[in-house]
Amino acid sequence: MKSLYPKAKLSVLLDLFECQSEEQFMYYDRETGQSVMVDEIHLSALDDGDEEWIDDLSGWEEDMVEAARAVRDDDKGRFVRGPSRWEFHEYRHMQRFINTLEDPDAAGQLDDAIRGRGAFRYFKDTLYRLGLQDRWYRYRDAAIREFVIAWAEHHKIQWEDDTPE
């Protein structure tokens, strides 16, 4: 079945994931094939009907309000909110990475590092001390890629790979 929309570039979909934050949401625009950033404060102002505050905005913020308005008023499924970093579960990927290691000493050190408070910091410190950071980032990037592709397919977004190998 032919889609009404152009194929998404995988690089754009990956950016949706990388650029998400608690205050700014990334959306994929099916019509343009581009990402759209929407700030929580602009969405809230629109939802609250705070037209006076909105009227006082200028420059780039006007563009942000227009993007927020387009996303909020979308009733045809043109905009799809980007994949959430919380749904990726990086801790689980850290565990899986550890299980790929053939060196039991390195695996043990990394396993110890992810126990308790500060797990992410200790994990990264231990990676650097063991010289495994490049291997971890390749592993993590591949996992993010798989996650984003699954997200796109779930949302019926056809995509094409434009990322470097």
Side-chain angles (χ1 to χ4, degrees), residues 59-75:
W60 64 271
E61 280 193 294
E62 289 175 355
D63 295 338
M64 290 285 282
V65 169
E66 289 310 309
R69 188 172 276 125
V71 166
R72 185 199 62 187
D73 296 341
D74 177 31
D75 60 355

Side-chain angles (χ1 to χ4, degrees), residues 46 109 113 116 119 135 143 149 151 157 159 161:
L46 289 171
Q109 289 181 53
R135 186 169 169 188
I149 289 170
W151 169 86
I157 298 172
W159 57 275
D161 192 351

Side-chain angles (χ1 to χ4, degrees), residues 151-165:
W151 169 86
E153 291 173 353
H154 173 78
H155 290 283
K156 297 179 178 32
I157 298 172
Q158 294 181 358
W159 57 275
E160 61 187 9
D161 192 351
D162 66 328
T163 59
E165 291 188 28

Side-chain angles (χ1 to χ4, degrees), residues 32-160:
T32 67
Q34 299 299 310
S35 60
V36 175
M37 181 184 297
V38 177
D39 198 312
E40 170 65 26
I41 195 166
H42 297 116
L43 276 174
S44 294
L46 289 171
D47 290 342
D48 295 342
D50 193 352
E51 294 300 325
E52 186 175 314
W53 182 79
I54 292 169
D55 290 341
D56 289 340
L57 299 177
S58 63
W60 64 271
E61 280 193 294
E62 289 175 355
D63 295 338
M64 290 285 282
V65 169
E66 289 310 309
R69 188 172 276 125
V71 166
R72 185 199 62 187
D73 296 341
D74 177 31
D75 60 355
K76 294 184 172 56
R78 173 181 172 181
F79 296 98
V80 181
R81 185 158 172 186
S84 167
R85 292 178 122 354
W86 295 107
E87 294 170 358
F88 178 66
H89 304 292
E90 188 164 353
Y91 185 86
R92 186 177 316 145
H93 291 286
M94 291 163 39
Q95 292 173 312
R96 289 177 181 162
F97 172 76
I98 292 168
N99 290 333
T100 69
L101 299 176
E102 295 175 9
D103 178 351
D105 182 52
Q109 289 181 53
L110 285 167
D111 191 54
D112 289 344
I114 64 171
R115 306 286 174 204
R117 292 187 72 137
F120 290 90
R121 167 56 49 211
Y122 290 133
F123 177 77
K124 288 187 179 152
D125 289 347
T126 305
L127 281 172
Y128 279 86
R129 189 170 38 76
L130 296 171
L132 295 171
Q133 68 275 9
D134 290 341
R135 186 169 169 188
W136 159 246
Y137 288 114
R138 282 191 306 273
Y139 181 91
R140 187 188 71 123
D141 289 348
I144 289 171
R145 179 186 170 94
E146 288 177 25
F147 173 75
V148 168
I149 289 170
W151 169 86
E153 291 173 353
H154 173 78
H155 290 283
K156 297 179 178 32
I157 298 172
Q158 294 181 358
W159 57 275
E160 61 187 9

